[in-house]
Amino acid sequence: MSIESHLVENRIFQPSREFSKAARIGDLAEYRKLYKASIADPEKFWAKQAAKLRWQKDWTKVLQWKCPFAKWFVGGKLNVTENCLDRHLEGARRNKAAIIWEGEPGEKRTLTYHQLHREVCKFANVLKRNNIKKGDRVLIYMPLVPEASIAMLACARIGAVHSVVFGGFSAESIKDRLADCGAQVVITADGGYRRGQMVTLKQNVDRAIEGNAAIRRVIVFKRANLDIHIAEGRDVWWHREMDYVTADCPALGFDSEHPLFILYTSGSTGKPKGILHTTGGYLLGAQFTTKTIFDLREDDVYWCTADVGWITGHTYLVYGPLANGATCLMYEGAPNWPEPDRFWKLIADYGVTILYTAPTAIRAFIKWGDEWPAKHDLSSLRLLGTVGEPINPEAWMWFREKIGGSRCPIVDTWWQTETGAIMITPLPGATPTTPGTATLPFFGIDAAIVDDAGKELPANEGGKLVIRKPWPSMLRSIYGDKQRYKDQYWTEVKDCYFTGDGARRDEHGYFWITGRMDDVLNVAGHRLGTAEVESALVSHEAVAEAAVVGRPDEIKGQGVVAFVTLKTHAVVHADLKEILRKHVGEMIGPIAKPDDIRFADALPKTRSGKIMRRLLKEIAGGGGVTGDTTTLEDLSILAKLSKSDD
Ligand code: PRX
C-alpha cells in the first residue's frame, strides 16, 4: 500500500542567530555530525549520556538485544527519585521551585525541590505503611494537582509500579485497567475541577471497585471538599496518613530493568494495551530529550500543558523536567476557564519561557479569537513545542506569530506512549523548521520509511514509519502479554519496530507524519481505538452492531462517527442517539463520545462478512464513495448510509 501526501509547504524558518548562539546544539552541521555518530554506535552514544545520571551500581552491559526484547544498562541499579529529587538538594537547586501549581479556581502553591522531596519521602512511607512493596502495582486516578506527581514519584521511590488513569476516564475504564494490571491499591482524590464543574473521582473509583475484594486500600487526597463515601477498613485520607510518617525514606537502588510504570493506551482491538516502561532507559530518555530538545536552562519556567494521565504528562511534566532540576508550571483546569485567555494569563503571571502543548488546543485558541492572547504580555516565552498529532500549517503559523511573537522556535515533536520519549523533532537552535513537519530523528533514533516488504522508500514516497534500532526509553512489553507485544509492533516489518503511523520523508530527509495506518483515531491528540468505541456501543441493549470511523474535525483533528444497527426488538427512544453517546461516555470517558451516530438497517460488508470501513470513512467524511465497491454485498446499503438525518 502506498500513502499519498498532498501537502506542499515551502516556508522555511531558520533558528534565530541569537537562539542558536546560546543553544546546546547550535547548527545543523553539528546535529548531523552527532546524529551520524549516534547511529553508527548507539551503545557508545547512550552509555555516554547515561553516565550523567546517578547510578548506585554501574551497569555491566549497555544493551542486551534479543529482538524484540531489550535490556538497557544491564546490571545497573538506580533510583529514579534520587535522580529527580535528592540530586538537586545538594546545591543551588535545593530551594528552587520544582512545581508551581495553580488550581482551576485560582489557588496557588509552590513546592521547592526540598519541599517536593519531603512530600515524596513522606508519601512513600505512607505507601510502605499500607504494605505496598516493590513490584506492586498502584493505580493512580487524580486531578492535576502536585499530589499526582507526588504519588507517582513515591511509587518510584519504593519500586512500586504506577499505572495512572486519566481523570477523564470512566469507572468502567478503571475497572478494566485494574483487572489487567492486578493493582490492589488505588490513589485518588475526592474530586477535581474542570471547566467550573466538579469531576467526581472518588465516586467513579467506588463504582469501579464495587464488589472487588482484591482492592484492599484506597488513599484519598482531599481536593474538592466533596462529601464522599469512606469505606471503613479500606479507604483512608491522604492527609491523615501523612501524620503518621516521617520524611526519612532512603532511595534504594533498583535494577535498571525494574518496571517503573504501566500506562494504558488504545490499540486496534477493544482492549487497551498496558504499555510497560522500565527504570534506567526510560529515565535516560526523559532526562536527555527534555534537556536537549527544550534546550533547558537553569532559569526557565517550563510549562507542559498535558495531564499526568497521558505519556506526555509522565515524561514531560514529571520525570523529564524534574530529572533536569527544572521549574515546572502545573495548571489543573481547562484552557478556557473562566475565559479563553487562561493560558495566556498564566504565561504572563509566571513568566513562562517554554510552552509545550497540543495542536488541538491551538486550533481551539484560533477559534476563540486573537483578542485573548493579545491582552497579555507573552514576551517571556522563548520556545514553543507541540505534540500528539500532525499540526496543520495554519495552526503552526498562528502559534508562531500570535503566541511566539515570530521570535520563538517551534519544536513539533513526534513520539508515542510506546516510545517513552520524543523521537522525531527539530532541535530549536539547529534545525530549520517548516510548518507541518516534525523534521529529523533525534540522536540514536534510526527512523525510516519502508514499504510492505520492509524496503526503505525513496524521498517523497509514503510508507510505514519504523524504527530500526532499539532505544533506551522504548516500551519493554505489553503488560502480561509478550505475544501481543511481538505481534503488534515487531511482525509487520521484519526486525523493525512498527509505529502504526504512515509518513514520508522529503528531499531534505524531513519526516511528514500522515497519521495512523491502523484502526486508531487521534481525537484531540488522544488515541482512541475504533474497536473500543464499537464494543462500548454494542454493550448497550439496543445495539446489534456498530462500526466506528473517524472524520476530519476542525478542532479535534478527528471526530468520531458511529454507524449503528439496532436489534430488531429494540425500544427506540426519540433521544436514542444521546442515550448511546452517554453510554459510551460511561463505558470509556467523555472523549470517546461519538460526534455523530447514524442508524442503518445493515452495515456495508464484503461477501466474506468484513465491514468495509474504507467506505464508511468516505461516507463519514461527507464525500461521495469513490473507492472500489466490487466486493460489497449489498450496494443499496451505501445509499441509505450516506443520508444523515440531522
Ligand atoms: O499518530 C501519532 C500521533 O500520536 C500517536 C501517539 O499517540 P500517543 O501514544 O497517545 O502519544 C501522544 C503523545 C506522545 C502517534 O502514533 N502523533 C504524536 N505526535 C505527533 C503525532 N503525529 C504527528 N505529529 C506529531 N508531532
Side-chain angles (χ1 to χ4, degrees), residues 312 388-390 412-417 501 513 516 522 527:
T312 309
E389 53 181 314
D412 170 355
T413 61
W414 177 89
W415 59 296
Q416 308 176 299
T417 306
D501 279 2
I513 314 294
R516 302 288 308 189
N522 192 326
R527 265 161 77 166

Side-chain angles (χ1 to χ4, degrees), residues 263-266 275 310-313 316 356 359 386-391 411-422 424 436-438 465 497 499-502 511-518 520-522 525-528:
L263 184 60
Y264 286 86
T265 189
S266 296
I275 303 300
W310 311 106
I311 190 69
T312 309
Y316 296 108
Y356 190 35
T386 68
V387 57
E389 53 181 314
I391 180 162
V411 289
D412 170 355
T413 61
W414 177 89
W415 59 296
Q416 308 176 299
T417 306
E418 291 87 342
T419 68
I422 296 169
I424 302 178
T437 164
L465 174 60
Y497 168 81
T499 62
D501 279 2
F511 284 82
W512 296 76
I513 314 294
T514 41
R516 302 288 308 189
M517 297 176 81
D518 50 12
V520 173
L521 305 181
N522 192 326
H526 300 312
R527 265 161 77 166
L528 192 60

Side-chain angles (χ1 to χ4, degrees), residues 63-280:
L63 170 67
Q64 183 186 308
W65 178 232
K66 286 189 195 126
C67 187
F69 298 102
K71 286 188 179 164
W72 282 91
F73 311 112
V74 183
K77 279 190 193 297
L78 75 169
N79 187 296
V80 164
T81 66
E82 182 180 15
N83 281 275
C84 291
L85 301 170
D86 303 55
R87 261 204 306 174
H88 308 313
L89 303 188
E90 292 154 13
R93 287 180 184 150
R94 185 178 176 86
N95 294 313
K96 179 180 175 179
I99 299 177
I100 301 176
W101 175 81
E102 196 171 296
E104 194 181 74
E107 317 93 306
K108 298 171 173 42
R109 280 170 69 193
T110 300
L111 288 163
T112 63
Y113 272 93
H114 176 54
Q115 290 165 329
L116 182 61
H117 175 263
R118 196 182 149 76
E119 293 299 302
V120 169
C121 288
K122 281 183 75 178
F123 195 65
N125 282 336
V126 167
L127 297 178
K128 285 194 208 161
R129 202 180 110 75
N130 284 280
N131 206 19
I132 296 160
K133 300 200 164 63
K134 176 181 162 189
D136 288 351
R137 276 82 58 219
V138 174
L139 189 135
I140 299 176
Y141 185 65
M142 294 278 276
L144 199 50
V145 292
E147 280 68 19
S149 307
I150 292 167
M152 292 162 74
L153 291 161
C155 287
R157 186 135 190 121
I158 63 165
V161 184
H162 60 72
S163 185
V164 184
V165 176
F166 173 53
F169 279 131
S170 66
E172 277 304 313
S173 296
I174 304 173
K175 205 176 186 174
D176 291 347
R177 286 156 175 76
L178 274 174
D180 191 79
C181 75
Q184 297 178 357
V185 175
V186 177
I187 303 171
T188 188
D190 51 352
Y193 292 87
R194 187 76 191 176
R195 210 161 278 120
Q197 305 281 315
M198 206 70 87
V199 187
T200 55
L201 298 166
K202 173 64 165 62
Q203 201 181 313
N204 291 354
V205 170
D206 287 344
R207 280 173 48 203
I209 63 178
E210 207 179 294
N212 182 346
I215 306 300
R216 56 180 183 80
R217 188 67 79 236
V218 179
I219 305 178
V220 189
F221 176 67
K222 195 182 214 102
R223 161 71 188 119
N225 269 318
L226 286 182
D227 196 11
I228 54 158
H229 170 69
I230 290 284
E232 206 58 50
R234 187 195 68 190
D235 303 352
V236 293
W237 284 106
W238 176 302
H239 60 275
R240 294 241 176 93
E241 288 295 298
M242 290 291 256
D243 283 343
Y244 295 108
V245 294
T246 69
D248 181 20
C249 180
L252 298 182
F254 298 110
D255 193 280
S256 176
E257 282 300 326
H258 182 66
L260 180 63
F261 65 87
I262 301 163
L263 184 60
Y264 286 86
T265 189
S266 296
S268 43
T269 72
K271 190 169 168 275
K273 307 177 277 194
I275 303 300
L276 177 70
H277 283 287
T278 58
T279 301

